[in-house]
Structure formats: C-alpha cells, structure tokens
Amino acid sequence: GGRMPFKLGVLLIHGMGNQEPEFADEAIEKIKARIDRMGSRSGDISFEIVWWAHVLGDKEATLLRHMADGNELNWMTLRGFVINSLGDALAYQDTQVSPGQVNVYREIHAVVAKKTAYLRERIRSGVEDTAPEAPLVVIAHSLGAQIMSDYIWDIQHKKNLSFPVGENPFERCETLTSITTFGCNIPLFTLALNTIEPIDFPPSGLEKYFPAGTSPEEIAKVSTWTNYYDPDDVLGYPLRTLDPKYERIVSRDVPVNVGNILQSWNPASHTAYWTDDSIIKPIAESLCNILQLLSDGPAARGAETKAVRAARGRRRPTPSKP
C-alpha cells in the first residue's frame, strides 16, 4: 500500500530580505523533529513553501540580497534599503499599473494560488473523494503576512481574483485553522486605508473539517492567530493594538528576542525568526494540537493526549487563548 494520507497542510511564505527558494527548509526540519519528539507524526503534515521573490525580478532580488548581506548599516544605507525594498514592496499594493509593467500584487497572489493548489493535490492523492478537506495552516513572515492577509481577504470578498482559485474549501481558505505571523508589517499597510477590515478568522463552519464529536471549545483552542515580533525589529509589529477588529481575531502578540543579531538592526536580522526556537517550538506544539484533534475522533484522542503529555515531560504549559 501507499503512504498514509496527509491530515494537515501547511503553507510557509517569506517576506523581505530572504530571497532564497529554500528559505524555510531548516524551519520545516526543526518543526518536524519537534513534532516527532512530542509523540505526534510529522509525516501527517504536508508542507508547501511559497517562494515569490522571483516576481520582483532580478533587480530587486539582487538589491535585497546585497542589502541583507550582513552589512552594518548606517542610517543612510538603512534609508536606502527601506526606500528601495519597501518601495518595491509597497508597489505591491498598487493595482493600477501602466501597460507592460508587472502587476506585482496579482503575480504574487497567483504564486500563492498555485502553491495552495499543489499542496491540496498532494493531500488529496489517494484519498476518497468524499473525505473532508484537510485543515490549512499559514506561517508567514514579514511582507508575507500582508500578502496572505490580502489574498485571503480577496477570496473571502470575491475581489481582485484575476487567476484561477480552485472551487474547493481548501483552496478557498475555508479550512484555515491557524495562522502564525512574525516580523509582521501589516500595520504599515493600514496607513493607506480609510477603514481597517481584517480577514474573517477563524472562518465559519471550521468544525466540518474536524472529526464528528470534536467540541467547539477544542476547535477554538487550536484555531489561533499568533503574532510574534521582536521589539528591536523595525519591520515587525504587534497586531492586537492596531484596531479592535484585530484584537478580536489575533489571539496573542508575543514579544520575542531572536538573538543578538538584532542588537544592531539590519535587514538580515529581520529574517532570523525562521529558525529561532521561541517561534519553532510553539508552531510545533500548535501543529501537534491540531493533529491530535484530527486523530480518530475524541475517544482515541484521550489516550493519545496522555502519551503526548508523557512525551512532553514536566514542561510549563503555554498559556492558551483566553
């Protein structure tokens, strides 16, 4: 027989400053190892990396790479970095482009759509057509958080969809169960808006994608949006204080210190989140908790939870969403 079917899909998307296609490889290995140590099966999860840097073309990618090359930046250079790279990043918002110019917003969203479709294809292979869709988890860094937020918002409001999005709950983000953002600059983008309208999260009807008998409380506990920011990161911000609407949908803003690299801020430090334990650990725990709910219904789960608890040993429990 073939492999066991996947139970869960995870999309990882990069932001600014880290332009390599394998930007999340190390993070995924660390997350998997931790999940296995905790007594769950990382093989139940399918990971898909959304690398969109190529949309910006060689000029910008090269610029970002050079800027992020561990330079000790003085304010003038930093200003140059912010103007050039954020300038390009902010051009991402503008859907009015002159003919012959790349519409960065749509091109990047088309990459997200394609990768989400790949992820679903992998998860659905060898699964009964009648089987429920798998929950989707999004892990987004920096500008990637804004991209995913826009992407999900557009799908939820049926706007700006100039590329095909599959007619199924997974690709329509209706199974979106958990979001982790770090180094998030969504607040900067709200400056251009008259009203702040975040995505609907968690999406209604999420219980359809969990085994029958899973309680709403159990689902509420795993369907969280956690946002990490390093107070030293000039591109990473808290979200809950942005607006009461964000306060409702973002479970926690967690200040972290992603290493000494941030003592002098540089663009490279903005990407240090990807491999930092203060973020890898809670991501692995959150994925474990979702997998537990997806294991064979509530009865079997009791036994598995005990095993996972034993595997964890005497750890301080992480505070859950109020």
Side-chain angles (χ1 to χ4, degrees):
R3 50 152 294 130
M4 294 284 289
F6 292 113
K7 293 179 177 169
L8 182 60
V10 177
L11 273 185
L12 305 99
I13 182 168
H14 69 82
M16 293 166 34
N18 192 343
Q19 302 302 318
E20 303 307 319
E22 44 299 306
F23 69 90
D25 287 1
E26 193 185 335
I28 291 171
E29 288 317 307
K30 284 186 160 190
I31 291 166
K32 283 176 156 175
R34 205 171 262 279
I35 287 172
D36 292 333
R37 278 208 302 278
M38 287 167 64
S40 280
R41 284 172 37 90
S42 64
D44 287 344
I45 305 176
S46 185
F47 293 86
E48 181 69 55
I49 290 179
V50 181
W51 180 64
W52 52 264
H54 54 90
V55 169
L56 288 176
D58 294 340
K59 187 179 88 229
E60 291 89 341
T62 311
L63 167 84
L64 286 175
R65 222 179 7 257
H66 289 169
M67 296 303 302
D69 241 353
N71 294 325
E72 278 294 307
L73 293 183
N74 59 34
W75 288 112
M76 213 43 237
T77 323
L78 178 58
R79 244 173 248 257
F81 169 78
V82 170
I83 290 161
N84 290 312
S85 59
L86 274 181
D88 279 326
L90 292 170
Y92 149 80
Q93 282 199 104
D94 183 13
T95 49
Q96 299 301 309
V97 291
S98 54
Q101 199 183 344
V102 175
N103 184 327
V104 173
Y105 184 96
R106 295 205 179 149
E107 297 265 330
I108 292 177
H109 286 206
V111 173
V112 176
K114 197 166 72 188
K115 292 297 203 162
T116 310
Y118 286 163
L119 180 57
R120 178 176 184 270
E121 218 169 277
R122 252 202 326 276
I123 293 171
R124 297 303 284 181
S125 75
V127 175
E128 294 293 313
D129 282 351
T130 52
E133 296 277 342
L136 168 66
V137 169
V138 166
I139 298 173
H141 171 235
S142 172
L143 182 62
Q146 177 67 30
I147 290 167
M148 287 312 298
S149 170
D150 284 336
Y151 180 80
I152 295 161
W153 197 94
D154 288 351
I155 287 176
Q156 288 179 346
H157 294 81
K158 302 184 172 42
K159 295 237 168 67
N160 297 326
L161 298 176
S162 55
F163 43 83
V165 175
E167 286 298 334
N168 58 72
F170 188 86
E171 289 179 65
R172 301 223 148 249
C173 302
E174 289 160 22
T175 74
L176 179 63
T177 300
S178 143
I179 302 173
T180 299
T181 48
F182 38 90
C184 171
N185 29 55
I186 285 176
L188 301 179
F189 285 83
T190 60
L191 296 173
L193 306 172
N194 296 326
T195 54
I196 293 178
E197 282 299 334
I199 61 170
D200 292 325
F201 181 78
S204 58
L206 199 53
E207 64 285 347
K208 294 200 288 281
Y209 311 107
F210 285 86
T214 310
S215 72
E217 292 75 30
E218 287 179 299
I219 294 170
K221 213 166 180 171
V222 297
S223 54
T224 53
W225 179 340
T226 309
N227 176 55
Y228 297 89
Y229 66 101
D230 189 311
D232 295 321
D233 178 5
V234 301
L235 292 176
Y237 292 90
L239 282 175
R240 283 171 59 87
T241 47
L242 179 58
D243 187 272
K245 293 173 191 160
Y246 270 98
E247 200 175 346
R248 276 200 295 279
I249 63 170
V250 177
S251 323
R252 294 191 300 151
D253 280 313
V254 183
V256 289
N257 176 15
V258 294
N260 305 343
I261 191 162
L262 277 166
Q263 281 165 354
S264 155
W265 191 89
N266 70 59
S269 67
H270 182 56
T271 68
Y273 293 92
W274 276 113
T275 50
D276 200 272
D277 269 353
S278 57
I279 285 162
I280 296 288
K281 208 164 132 184
I283 286 176
E285 284 174 11
S286 138
L287 293 173
C288 268
N289 292 339
I290 297 170
L291 282 179
Q292 273 174 41
L293 294 192
L294 295 171
S295 68
D296 327 275
R301 199 153 59 240
E304 186 173 332
T305 311
K306 283 202 263 310
V308 170
R309 265 205 300 272
R312 284 184 188 174
R314 298 179 301 280
R315 270 195 336 90
R316 283 201 314 280
T318 46
S320 62
K321 177 177 178 175

